[in-house]
Amino acid sequence: MIRGKRETKESEKSFKISPNQYFMLRSIEISELKRRPETDPYPHKFLVTISIGDFIEKYNNLRSGTLVHDVNVQMAGRIHAIRESSAHLIFLDIKGEGMLLQVLANAKLFHSEQQFIDETSVLRRGDIIGITGAPGKSKTGTISIMAKQIKLLAPCLHMLPHQHYGLKNKETRFRQRYLDLMINNNVRSIFVTRAKIISFIRRFLDDRGFLEVETPMMNMIASGAAATPFATHHNDLKMDLFLRIAPELHLKMLTVGGFDRVYEIGRQFRNEGMDPTHNPEFTTCEFYMAYADYNDIMEITETLLSSMVHAIHGSFKIKYHPQDCQGAEVEIDFTPPFKRISMISSLEAELGVEFPPANQLDTPEAGKFLDDLCIQHSVECESPRTASRLLDKLVGKMLEANCHNPTFLCDHPQMMSPLAKSHRTQPGLTERFELFVMGKEICNAYTELNDPAVQRQQFAQQAANRAAGDDEAQLVDENFCTALEYGLPPTGGWGMGIDRLAMLLTDTNNIKEVLLFPAMKPDTTIREQKITSPPNTTGE
């Protein structure tokens, strides 16, 4: 036995054995329980009559030292701590749905002392247990369930991280998210907030007459964004397919078909680098609104985000730590209206130069001009150094990095926006905006290009860029062009990265913190707790 009948003995011995040894001993212990006809450490069911949260809310006003004798409840949770006061009195802390509750196990309340010993001696930290008992408060005023019976529902075979030190190693936290959720109380709140973000977006769009739809995850052509796709193969069709990089073109085809307001929340896949703001698979929301333009979409974006932040945090202003929780704290103000800046004119003011006319930015002369600017200001840009890529890198360093509070970066050149409609008053530019917060892109939107002839020209230019070595350039999608020939009404389109917004609203600075199971490099280390031949735990 690892613990015996005293928690102090468990603590002392736990520090003297390795996690692998603990696993071996605990597995043998559970194997022994399986052999006993009267015990089953993995029962099929336990009837729960009240949750921990509801129990606390219902009985928290009891007086200290009170026991409600005429009430019997059943609840379940995972043991987070065991404190043995005496041979006949044990305190357990259990956790369920993010809530902690004290279990007071007094031998006097059990059917017999032997029952008390049999049911409590097998318990270890991390076990999932079911408790039958009465509501009460300890003499110290702690709301508790006074146990009359404790049943082991699922034993924990591994040694959990020490309560005092917690679990801080990011590799372990992200690879074993279940362990992270068990030990670190703040992690659950991150994903609760993420769920609130998605729920708020759905309600916001549903209330405005938008219809939620689903579009294909696998496509013959990867289109709708500038990104490198993942490839897969369909055996029956004997053809290669791409995981989608964006749902944009399918959603616009639905708008052609008569869905005037349509949206989708779902996963996208891009075969690109991984860093604190990029994961190979991520979640976006895209919506398309017929008879609207990018000015309408900007107003909707302001309303959506400001009301969401206020609903979640109770204020338009939130606190954020750009580096980590130990770093400097900044305030982000989501009070509408958000700041708006024009891309080219703002770059000219920032760099103190005059750019070529917007409708000439894709010429070789403009390409050299942008190349020289990047060299002069130490802006890195990998090959191919096309005018579009050079301008994008310049904007990233000179403008985007300075967008602290929500800022609309507007009116991108046509060469950077093959799916956007040309600006109605500024030749060479488009009616497009991106929303940046703390230097990170949160939204991308534009008045949609709906002229099939112009769209084919834009796709042709993208194909030329791809032939020049730009793997992120879009392919020609003839099905989409054909759909445009049937008539896409004037439309405003919008896309938002859920993960990056969740990072801001949960005060985290690594995308892995807001993804339950982020992409990780293979773990090639041999961990101590992994054993080659685990002991027989089948009871045979």
Side-chain angles (χ1 to χ4, degrees):
M1 304 286 285
I2 299 172
R3 177 170 65 86
K5 293 172 62 178
R6 295 288 187 272
E7 171 64 13
T8 53
K9 289 184 179 179
E10 180 187 11
S11 298
E12 291 169 1
K13 291 186 178 181
S14 294
F15 282 111
K16 295 179 181 178
I17 63 175
S18 69
N20 199 43
Q21 290 172 320
Y22 184 99
F23 175 77
M24 294 282 287
L25 291 171
R26 183 64 168 148
S27 297
I28 293 170
E29 193 173 43
I30 298 305
S31 182
E32 291 174 355
L33 286 178
K34 290 180 181 179
R35 293 189 180 96
R36 301 178 190 174
E38 73 278 8
T39 60
D40 180 6
Y42 296 98
H44 287 73
K45 179 179 172 61
F46 181 81
L47 178 63
V48 174
T49 61
I50 190 169
S51 68
I52 292 177
D54 290 344
F55 180 90
I56 293 172
E57 183 178 357
K58 187 172 183 178
Y59 298 107
N60 199 38
N61 292 326
L62 293 175
R63 290 181 298 175
S64 298
T66 300
L67 174 62
V68 186
H69 292 279
D70 58 344
V71 174
N72 217 42
V73 300
Q74 294 189 170
M75 65 174 55
R78 185 183 295 276
I79 298 175
H80 268 245
I82 304 176
R83 302 179 299 280
E84 193 162 343
S85 178
S86 68
H88 299 92
L89 182 61
I90 297 175
F91 296 91
L92 308 173
D93 290 336
I94 63 170
K95 187 177 182 181
E97 294 297 311
M99 306 288 286
L100 274 172
L101 178 69
Q102 178 174 275
V103 179
L104 197 157
N106 190 330
K108 295 178 181 179
L109 297 178
F110 283 68
H111 179 71
S112 66
E113 183 175 348
Q114 188 58 48
Q115 178 203 1
F116 172 82
I117 294 172
D118 290 343
E119 292 180 359
T120 60
S121 63
V122 298
L123 303 181
R124 304 289 179 269
R125 184 165 171 254
D127 290 352
I128 298 174
I129 59 172
I131 308 103
T132 301
K137 262 193 179 179
S138 66
K139 293 179 180 179
T140 60
T142 303
I143 180 72
S144 308
I145 177 171
M146 308 301 188
K148 299 175 183 177
Q149 182 182 23
I150 299 178
K151 186 173 183 61
L152 180 62
L153 303 180
C156 178
L157 303 183
H158 289 279
M159 181 189 296
L160 296 185
H162 195 278
Q163 270 190 305
H164 177 72
Y165 300 104
L167 177 61
K168 301 188 185 308
N169 183 278
K170 290 187 177 181
E171 283 286 312
T172 303
R173 288 182 52 232
F174 298 150
R175 291 183 191 280
Q176 296 178 272
R177 182 64 84 182
Y178 49 87
L179 191 58
D180 189 26
L181 290 165
M182 280 184 218
I183 303 301
N184 296 318
N185 293 327
N186 66 308
V187 174
R188 179 185 177 85
S189 65
I190 289 174
F191 292 99
V192 169
T193 298
R194 181 191 174 98
K196 289 179 179 177
I197 291 171
I198 295 174
S199 295
F200 189 95
I201 294 171
R202 278 200 170 97
R203 288 196 307 272
F204 183 92
L205 295 176
D206 289 345
D207 289 347
R208 285 158 178 78
F210 285 82
L211 178 71
E212 183 174 11
V213 298
E214 295 175 316
T215 60
M217 289 281 191
M218 296 186 295
N219 301 280
M220 289 185 288
I221 295 176
S223 55
T228 304
F230 284 96
T232 186
H233 185 78
H234 193 291
N235 291 333
D236 192 41
L237 294 177
K238 296 181 176 58
M239 64 183 297
D240 292 333
L241 296 171
F242 297 104
L243 296 183
R244 74 177 182 190
I245 56 177
E248 177 170 344
L249 302 194
H250 281 101
L251 292 174
K252 283 195 279 194
M253 283 191 259
L254 292 177
T255 308
V256 170
F259 284 137
D260 287 349
R261 298 188 179 194
V262 64
Y263 77 95
E264 180 172 13
I265 298 174
R267 288 289 210 191
Q268 319 307 329
F269 308 87
R270 298 184 183 180
N271 197 356
E272 300 169 342
M274 294 167 56
D275 60 37
T277 60
H278 291 87
N279 193 70
E281 54 178 310
F282 57 98
T283 303
T284 67
C285 173
E286 290 200 18
F287 76 71
Y288 292 84
M289 183 176 180
Y291 313 110
D293 65 10
Y294 81 142
N295 295 303
D296 301 312
I297 304 302
M298 267 192 266
E299 293 179 5
I300 290 175
T301 303
E302 287 175 340
T303 304
L304 168 63
L305 290 180
S306 60
S307 57
M308 177 196 296
V309 170
H310 198 279
I312 293 175
H313 287 281
S315 171
F316 291 128
K317 298 178 181 180
I318 64 172
K319 303 298 183 183
Y320 186 71
H321 298 80
Q323 300 303 319
D324 54 49
C325 289
Q326 307 301 320
E329 181 180 88
V330 298
E331 182 179 81
I332 306 175
D333 189 355
F334 282 87
T335 303
F338 300 162
K339 182 180 179 181
R340 305 183 184 191
I341 61 175
S342 183
M343 178 183 286
I344 297 302
S345 60
S346 297
L347 263 182
E348 289 178 330
E350 184 71 25
L351 299 174
V353 298
E354 183 178 346
F355 273 61
N359 57 0
Q360 298 178 20
L361 282 173
D362 57 351
T363 63
E365 294 77 16
K368 184 178 186 311
F369 169 80
L370 293 169
D371 200 317
D372 292 341
L373 274 180
C374 285
I375 294 172
Q376 179 184 344
H377 294 278
S378 302
V379 175
E380 295 183 3
C381 180
E382 297 179 358
S383 296
R385 294 171 69 87
T386 61
S388 177
R389 288 168 59 88
L390 290 165
L391 182 56
D392 182 59
K393 298 299 181 183
L394 269 174
V395 171
K397 183 173 181 178
M398 299 301 172
L399 297 182
E400 295 171 8
N402 299 325
C403 296
H404 175 95
N405 289 323
T407 303
F408 290 120
L409 180 61
C410 308
D411 307 330
H412 299 51
Q414 185 73 63
M415 66 180 182
M416 300 177 71
S417 314
L419 297 170
K421 198 172 184 70
S422 60
H423 200 285
R424 65 196 76 179
T425 62
Q426 300 182 58
L429 301 183
T430 59
E431 295 192 347
R432 175 186 175 187
F433 72 80
E434 293 175 289
L435 178 70
F436 286 87
V437 184
M438 291 303 299
K440 302 294 187 294
E441 178 194 342
I442 304 299
C443 301
N444 182 30
Y446 33 84
T447 305
E448 299 294 336
L449 174 57
N450 60 348
D451 183 331
V454 176
Q455 183 63 83
R456 279 194 169 89
Q457 293 174 5
Q458 295 298 329
F459 277 153
Q461 181 58 53
Q462 288 287 300
N465 291 344
R466 192 174 187 86
D470 186 355
D471 293 335
E472 295 184 352
Q474 298 188 48
L475 295 170
V476 178
D477 192 324
E478 271 300 327
N479 286 334
F480 175 65
C481 291
T482 299
L484 289 185
E485 292 172 349
Y486 283 87
L488 172 68
T491 299
W494 178 91
M496 181 174 72
I498 301 292
D499 311 300
R500 290 185 184 176
L501 180 61
M503 289 168 61
L504 289 171
L505 300 192
T506 58
D507 193 12
T508 53
N509 48 68
N510 190 321
I511 196 171
K512 288 183 171 65
E513 296 285 1
V514 298
L515 298 173
L516 282 168
F517 299 101
M520 302 288 289
K521 292 181 180 179
D523 185 6
T524 56
T525 61
I526 301 176
R527 297 186 178 274
E528 189 177 15
Q529 67 265 28
K530 293 180 181 177
I531 57 178
T532 305
S533 302
N536 182 2
T537 60
T538 62
E540 298 176 356

